[in-house]
Every structure is written in structure tokens, then in C-alpha cells.
Amino acid sequence: MSSEIAVLFIEDNEQDLSRYSRILSEKDKIIVSPIPPPKHVDELQLSPTPDLVLIDYRLTQFQRSGDSVTYRGGTLANYVAEQLPETPLIILSTRDVFNLFPNYEEEIGSADYILFKNDVYKDPTVGRNFLITLVRGFRELAKVEKASRTWQTLLQLLKVDNLEDENLQRSSPPRIEQKEKWRVHGVSRWILKVLFEYPGIFYDSLYASAALGLKEEDFLRDEVQHFFKDARYTGVFAEIKNLWWKNRLQKLAFRQIKNAGLDPILSENFRIAFEKTTGIKLEPSVCVFSGEENANTICHILKKPVKMKYTLGYLPDTRPESMDPARISFKAILEEDFDKHLLPSADAELLDSIRRKYSC
Amino acid sequence: MATNLNRMAYELKRHKLITDQSRQILNEAASNLQSGSSDNWELIITPEHPLEFVQTESDERLKPDIFCKIKASNTGDWPVSSLRLVLRVWSTRPDISFRQEWDSEEVKRNFDLLQDYKRVMFRCHYDSSSPEQYAPIFHLQFGGTPRKDECYWFPHFLELPRFTSPPIDLVLVCERVVASFFPSTYMKLCQLRNWISLIQESEQFFMKNFYEVCSRCINQISREHTLLGYLCSGRAP
């Protein structure tokens, strides 16, 4: 298998076609083949089979030839997914364009990921590494023989332990049919858009640090990372995002707390236990609302640690119930724009009293 | 057992019986359990961070909560070597938390200071007997040692009675709380296979041996002791 990856890039804007082809190409690693959208979707040339397909969302701009197409990237993505069921598909667009099409998410359901042009332009290396990592992950999934694509092989790819198995089963995994088993796109979308997106099975450094009552920078210190090395996610697509298994992280932390003879209160005592057993002093997470130490959750709007008691529930997305629910801090409630309709009804009833109690 | 705690957290939250914070507490308790081994684990939920239920269906002025310390048994006779599981029922409203004619000004000042009328109205605990006590090996007691914030008056020296109870775990106590305080949700839960199997697993692990011992005692033809006598002496057949 070649280490160089072939990317097919479909874009209507000539300037973007050449700009992003150039910045996403990398000698000996990525070859980008740029093409304008074909007049009819089924005229898209997919041979030789690319390793990854990159599609602009709004493809309807007039070409120099005077032609234009009437479909958008989602339609093309559906076609490509049908033709190449094991090839990663990315929509490359701008946030502004998505704002013009409120139903874009439904349209691009076949795509595995969205990359924003601004982000790629700002940091092409990250964009290129992402493409390479995605292709590697797909290859790893596709390598599993179709007959062996069972829940068990999926767990092996994720490198799961017993307790995590059950948590994963409650995280809206793709359906595994008796005959067809799992499909590469279904699995990749579940991993990337559910497991990696919402805290609950995994934590990123922001959520992990709050759960442990640590400042994020201190959680990322080498000594702490060494301590939690067995909790680090190393399964398929691991290079896309730094993640830790929530359950393993907590288990290791509780063991440390127990060794230090302290009560098992994670966000209060891990830091103390770590200092007691290693001599290394770590800074606590600080609540964005009250300034108190040992903030133990994250404000969904401010992306900052906050004490759970200064938060309300928030339902901004369709995450599975098994994931950690989103919370918003009283600070965001008092100072930021947020959608009141996304508060659970019992929490919405508390809004007035919170505003009365805490408004200056 | 850790898996069952996570299952319980999931079901209680899904049926809106506990807060997000309590779900987190249960999940963390499950991870803590896992940090031990199969015969050396401890399930701890601290009184500072108890498992809190929402306002009850039977009376919206009441909120139950639970904290516990349960230790695995290495001997094999009983599933746990030490058990302490406290159930409190809090009042959240001034009209039942404070009685003008009976309560002191100090109590009132406390409430005013905290801007909160939370007060414990009922308190009991499931316990295991200590070697110096002549009491059923597992028992249920009322009162206990309240914390200051509970504002609950109970004479500490009154440690009796101790009623016989089977050994119990957090899952089974949660079932009792739901059945007592959230009856319509309980009826719904009883239709769910997941819920039933969750409770049955705990019954098997915690209660089966206890009831077998009771059954053997009662069925013995010539007995030296009553059932209570056996359970207090620790010399069950």
C-alpha cells in the first residue's frame, strides 16, 4: 500500500481550487487532484480510486466555460459514498456558507467530517495531518475482513475494556446487521462525530482536567501525563485528537487517592493525593463563576471550568444520553447570549431566581 | 458491580429521578470501585457529595438522598464485611422545615444565613453489626449521627432499636427509594427488562445467601435459637 495519499478535490471556485490544492499537497505524502464539479453527479470520475474525497459545499458558481451545476456538495457526497463505501469523505467549506443553508447538516450526512477553509488556510499543517490521519484510520477499518466486522472486532479497534463495552453500547453505535456487519462510514462517523465530539466515553484535556480538579496546563504536564499514560486513547483515529478514556482516567486517579488515604472525591482530592505521593504540586481548576477551587465540570458556552452547583443543564445537541450532559455556568447565564429554549424545563424554572440572586 | 452502578445512574437519570451531579457521583463511584479488585473493593459516597434524588412525586417538598461506605468481604460468608448506608429525606420548604412554636431562634438564624430551608425530616441507615454489639448481623436503624447542616435533632445515645435487615447495596436502596417516593415511575421501570435484571443481579449477590440462611434456620426441626437469635449470634446453620 502506497504511503502517499491521493486526494480528489471537487470545487467550483477556481481560486479556491488552486489555493487549497496547493496548500493541502505535500511532497511524498499527499497528492491533490483538483477538478470542477461535473455537470451531472454520475459523471464524476472516480477512477483511479482516490484515498480521500474532498468536496466543497456550495458548488453552484458559474465556471469559466459558462456552465454551472444545480446540486450542492451533499448530493455529490451521497453519490461518492455510494460508489466508494470505504473511502473517507470530507466537506470543505466556510462557516458563512453554512449559515446560508440551515439544513446543511442533513444534506451532508454522508460526509465523515467538515473542514473549514479558514482553519486550513490558517494552519495548513494541521489540515494535511488531519487528511493523512483520516486515511490511515479508514485503512485500518477497511482492513478488517467484511465477514469479521462484528461488535467484537470494533471493540478491538477501539482497544476497549469490559466496562467501556457497555458504555459504548449505550452511545448510539452504528447498527450491526447480521449479514452486512458494520460499515466503514457508519463506524467512522460514530467515532468521529459522537465518541470524539461529546465528553462521556472520552475526555479531552479540558474535560479531563476539570474532572480531576486540575488546571488544564497542569493536567498536560509531563509528570501527570506519565501517570495517566494507560488512560490515553490509542485506538483507531487516535492521532486526530488527544483523548483519554474517562473510566480509566478516573480509575487511576481513585487508586492514587486511596493510596494517599483520602476520601474518594475526585475533583477535590486527586491533586492532594498526587502531591502527597509524588511531591509534585499541581494547581487546581478554578470556577469561572465563583473563583472557587476544584471546579469539576465545564461550561458549554464559555468552555471554562465551573463548579457543578453553579450550572444549569443545557441541551444544545443530540448527544446520546450516556454521554456527560452539557451544562452552562451562571456566568454565561448572566453575561452571555444563550438559547433559553435549550434549558431543560426544570432548570428553566430556576432562571429568574438565579438572576435575582446573582445579578449585581 | 461497577457496571451495575453505571446502569443504575443511567436509568435514574433517564427517568429524571436524579440530578446530573448525582449521575456524575454514581459514575465516579463506579470508577472508584474498579480501582480495587473483585474481593477488595469499597463503595464510598460521601455525605458531602451524596446521591441526591429530585423532589419526590409523592410530596414535592421532599428530597431523598443517600450516602454510603460498603466494603467487600474476603471471608465469603456474606457479600460485604462492613456496611453503612444512610438514607435521608430532606424538606426543602420553610413550612415544614421550621416550626414557629417549637424550633429555636438559632435554627431560624441558620436557615436565614444559608438562604435555604433544607432540613432533614427522616434519617435511617442500613448497618452491619460490630463485634461488641449483640445485634442482627445486618440491621436497619433510625436516627444516627446527623451532620450540622441537616438540622436534625436526635439523641445520639439512643442507638436502638436495630431491626433485622438483609445485606443491601446502593442499587437495592435506590429501588426502595424509587418505589416509595416515585411510585408511578417505579411502575414504569418495573416493565423494563434492563431495570429488572439490574435489581435481580443485586438481589442475587447481596440477598440470596441471607435468605437461604434464614430459610435453613426456620426449617430446622429442633432449634436452639429463634431466627433473630441466630442472626445476632452469627452462628447460623
Side-chain angles (χ1 to χ4, degrees), chain B residues 12-130:
Chain B
L12 293 179
K13 183 67 191 122
R14 197 155 74 99
H15 288 86
K16 300 186 168 61
L17 297 173
I18 57 170
T19 58
D20 283 345
Q21 180 151 16
S22 288
R23 185 179 144 185
Q24 188 178 336
I25 285 165
L26 274 177
N27 290 151
E28 288 186 7
S31 299
N32 185 28
L33 265 184
Q34 278 200 310
S35 68
S37 61
S38 62
D39 60 353
N40 181 21
W41 51 260
E42 252 185 318
L43 170 58
I44 303 175
I45 293 183
T46 62
E48 294 84 8
H49 301 277
L51 167 60
E52 286 180 302
F53 285 81
V54 298
Q55 289 167 331
T56 67
E57 180 193 318
S58 51
D59 185 334
E60 61 172 22
R61 298 171 303 179
L62 301 178
K63 267 185 177 180
D65 75 10
I66 300 169
F67 61 91
C68 64
K69 189 165 186 174
I70 305 174
K71 214 170 169 199
S73 166
N74 298 317
T75 64
D77 291 345
W78 302 109
V80 290
S81 61
S82 105
L83 166 73
R84 190 168 180 89
L85 197 153
V86 179
L87 167 65
R88 302 181 291 193
V89 181
W90 296 78
S91 136
T92 57
R93 303 276 173 85
D95 56 339
I96 49 172
S97 289
F98 186 72
R99 299 164 304 170
Q100 197 78 46
E101 325 77 57
W102 290 92
D103 290 318
S104 73
E105 278 303 308
E106 180 67 21
V107 173
K108 177 86 165 62
R109 263 199 301 277
N110 244 338
F111 287 139
D112 290 342
L113 192 73
L114 296 168
Q115 291 186 304
D116 198 346
Y117 277 80
K118 276 182 75 184
R119 187 173 193 182
V120 169
M121 295 283 111
F122 171 83
R123 198 179 200 286
C124 71
H125 59 272
Y126 292 92
D127 220 346
S128 53
S129 62
S130 54

Side-chain angles (χ1 to χ4, degrees), chain A residues 212-250:
Chain A
L212 299 167
L214 300 180
K215 210 172 174 178
E216 191 180 4
E217 294 89 317
D218 278 19
F219 170 71
L220 292 168
R221 278 176 63 164
D222 289 347
E223 304 91 324
V224 179
Q225 283 309 297
H226 180 72
F227 178 79
F228 285 116
K229 64 180 188 308
D230 292 340
R232 189 71 183 257
Y233 175 64
T234 55
V236 64
F237 295 122
E239 292 155 300
I240 285 183
K241 210 170 177 184
N242 289 334
L243 294 166
W244 292 260
W245 290 97
K246 171 186 166 183
N247 169 54
R248 293 183 209 180
L249 194 85
Q250 292 183 341

Side-chain angles (χ1 to χ4, degrees), chain A residues 33-289:
Chain A
S33 309
I35 55 164
K39 191 161 184 193
H40 301 290
V41 170
D42 58 4
E43 287 167 4
L44 182 67
Q45 218 17 279
L46 293 170
S47 177
T49 307
D51 294 305
L52 184 145
V53 180
L54 199 58
I55 306 172
D56 176 46
Y57 177 64
R58 190 162 66 169
L59 296 168
T60 50
Q61 194 170 310
F62 278 99
Q63 304 295 299
R64 200 177 291 178
S65 60
D67 291 338
S68 72
V69 300
T70 52
Y71 58 83
R72 287 193 286 270
T75 311
L76 200 57
N78 284 341
Y79 175 73
V80 175
E82 221 176 88
Q83 300 297 313
L84 305 174
E86 315 227 316
T87 302
L89 253 171
I90 293 180
I91 294 286
L92 181 69
S93 190
T94 63
R95 290 178 175 88
D96 293 347
V97 166
F98 284 139
N99 290 338
L100 298 173
F101 300 94
N103 296 329
Y104 76 92
E105 276 189 32
E106 285 163 34
E107 285 181 35
I108 60 169
S110 307
D112 298 295
Y113 213 84
I114 301 172
L115 273 184
F116 291 106
K117 287 180 176 173
N118 273 357
D119 298 345
V120 173
Y121 191 72
K122 254 190 255 165
D123 197 342
T125 313
V126 172
R128 288 192 293 265
N129 287 343
F130 178 77
L131 301 188
I132 293 169
T133 311
L134 196 68
V135 169
R136 269 193 211 142
F138 265 76
R139 283 180 181 165
E140 208 177 326
L141 292 174
K143 216 163 57 188
V144 180
E145 281 182 32
K146 285 194 176 143
S148 308
R149 291 180 182 178
T150 59
W151 179 247
Q152 283 314 313
T153 54
L154 187 51
L155 296 184
Q156 282 162 16
L157 286 164
L158 290 163
K159 301 185 182 169
V160 166
D161 79 13
N162 286 344
L163 190 67
E164 289 149 4
D165 176 357
E166 182 148 344
N167 292 342
L168 286 166
Q169 283 180 41
R170 285 201 297 257
S171 305
S172 312
R175 272 180 65 178
I176 299 180
E177 306 286 351
Q178 203 62 32
K179 274 187 185 167
E180 295 188 18
K181 313 285 172 115
W182 49 260
R183 295 173 181 204
V184 172
H185 274 292
V187 164
S188 65
R189 276 200 292 272
W190 175 55
I191 296 172
L192 299 173
K193 291 183 177 174
V194 179
L195 301 184
F196 282 15
E197 196 72 21
Y198 304 122
I201 299 291
F202 298 118
Y203 276 162
D204 62 12
S205 57
L206 182 66
Y207 278 86
S209 55
L212 299 167
L214 300 180
K215 210 172 174 178
E216 191 180 4
E217 294 89 317
D218 278 19
F219 170 71
L220 292 168
R221 278 176 63 164
D222 289 347
E223 304 91 324
V224 179
Q225 283 309 297
H226 180 72
F227 178 79
F228 285 116
K229 64 180 188 308
D230 292 340
R232 189 71 183 257
Y233 175 64
T234 55
V236 64
F237 295 122
E239 292 155 300
I240 285 183
K241 210 170 177 184
N242 289 334
L243 294 166
W244 292 260
W245 290 97
K246 171 186 166 183
N247 169 54
R248 293 183 209 180
L249 194 85
Q250 292 183 341
K251 223 161 68 178
L252 289 167
F254 277 124
R255 207 167 286 160
Q256 188 80 340
I257 291 173
K258 194 175 182 181
N259 291 341
L262 298 167
D263 275 347
I265 306 168
L266 202 59
S267 60
E268 289 177 18
N269 285 343
F270 171 71
R271 191 169 51 88
I272 300 166
F274 194 79
E275 186 179 347
K276 211 170 158 185
T277 46
T278 64
I280 297 167
K281 193 172 165 52
L282 302 171
E283 291 296 316
S285 54
V286 175
C287 174
V288 68
F289 177 69

